Amino acid sequence: MIKIVPYLAILLLLFTRINCRRQNIDFSRKEEINFEKLKSVNDIYKDCGSETGSINKITITDCTQAPCTFIKGNNYTMDLEFTSKVDTTKVVNHVYGIVAKIPVPFPLPNDNGCTLGISCPVKSGDSVKESVTLPVLQEYPKISLFVKWQVMDENKKQMICFLFPVSIKS
């Protein structure tokens, strides 16, 4: 029981920071992550089930090895390059922090890929690029976790999905 208390405090802090504007957290939904068994994108990122797209390249400011170290109060830029396997008019980013096996939604300032560098509509076979700003707020706890990133098409199918380890520090 004592080991669970810090995780519950972290979940409560993250949940209140999310401000309940997005979706509610489903505490019954657990994610078992076997990071080593996932297909590697490179030394840092692992593909977690890309369906209607394929990952070409992922880079994050100042992240050259796992885990990515994010300093509170800083912004980081993630550049994504992927190839679409479908026609779509919408591209939406969804980000989760996996805490105690529970995916906690992380609200982005802008989750619309069509305004982050992708020319929409996207055609099957198009290679697309987007650039997303990741703010790491002072309120975030110091924690090590996995980040799950999904890019969804207009049919809410997972174009790409990848995981990467993060350590948030002061």
Side-chain angles (χ1 to χ4, degrees):
M1 179 66 174
I2 293 174
K3 290 182 179 180
I4 294 175
V5 173
Y7 289 117
L8 293 175
I10 291 166
L11 283 172
L12 182 60
L13 178 64
L14 288 172
F15 186 69
T16 56
R17 179 63 197 134
I18 290 167
N19 205 12
C20 304
R21 290 178 297 162
R22 299 269 254 187
Q23 59 204 22
N24 291 329
I25 298 173
D26 182 357
F27 289 100
S28 66
R29 192 174 131 221
K30 306 260 189 212
E31 293 217 10
E32 295 290 332
I33 298 173
N34 189 338
F35 193 69
E36 299 306 315
K37 289 191 176 184
L38 296 173
K39 179 184 168 197
S40 288
V41 175
N42 60 29
D43 291 339
I44 301 170
Y45 311 98
K46 301 276 187 152
D47 190 304
C48 56
S50 298
E51 295 176 45
T52 62
S54 59
I55 300 168
N56 300 333
K57 185 177 179 183
I58 305 166
T59 57
I60 297 179
T61 310
D62 299 328
C63 182
T64 57
Q65 64 183 20
C68 294
T69 300
F70 290 169
I71 307 299
K72 293 196 270 182
N74 290 347
N75 288 331
Y76 296 86
T77 301
M78 175 180 288
D79 293 312
L80 300 174
E81 296 179 25
F82 62 95
T83 301
S84 179
K85 295 179 183 176
V86 295
D87 294 348
T88 185
T89 58
K90 290 174 64 176
V91 179
V92 181
N93 293 282
H94 296 277
V95 183
Y96 302 88
I98 309 297
V99 180
K101 299 181 183 177
I102 297 171
V104 179
F106 177 86
L108 293 169
N110 181 2
D111 62 4
N112 182 353
C114 298
T115 63
L116 296 168
I118 296 176
S119 295
C120 293
V122 175
K123 298 290 182 197
S124 180
D126 284 356
S127 180
V128 297
K129 296 179 185 179
E130 70 174 332
S131 186
V132 183
T133 299
L134 307 170
V136 180
L137 303 179
Q138 288 290 346
E139 295 87 18
Y140 292 169
K142 288 191 265 184
I143 186 173
S144 292
L145 70 155
F146 282 100
V147 171
K148 179 179 182 179
W149 196 287
Q150 296 172 304
V151 178
M152 310 298 275
D153 65 23
E154 67 187 26
N155 296 313
K156 298 185 180 176
K157 295 242 180 178
Q158 195 166 258
M159 294 183 83
I160 62 170
C161 177
F162 58 93
L163 286 166
F164 59 100
V166 169
S167 178
I168 298 176
K169 298 188 176 188
S170 295

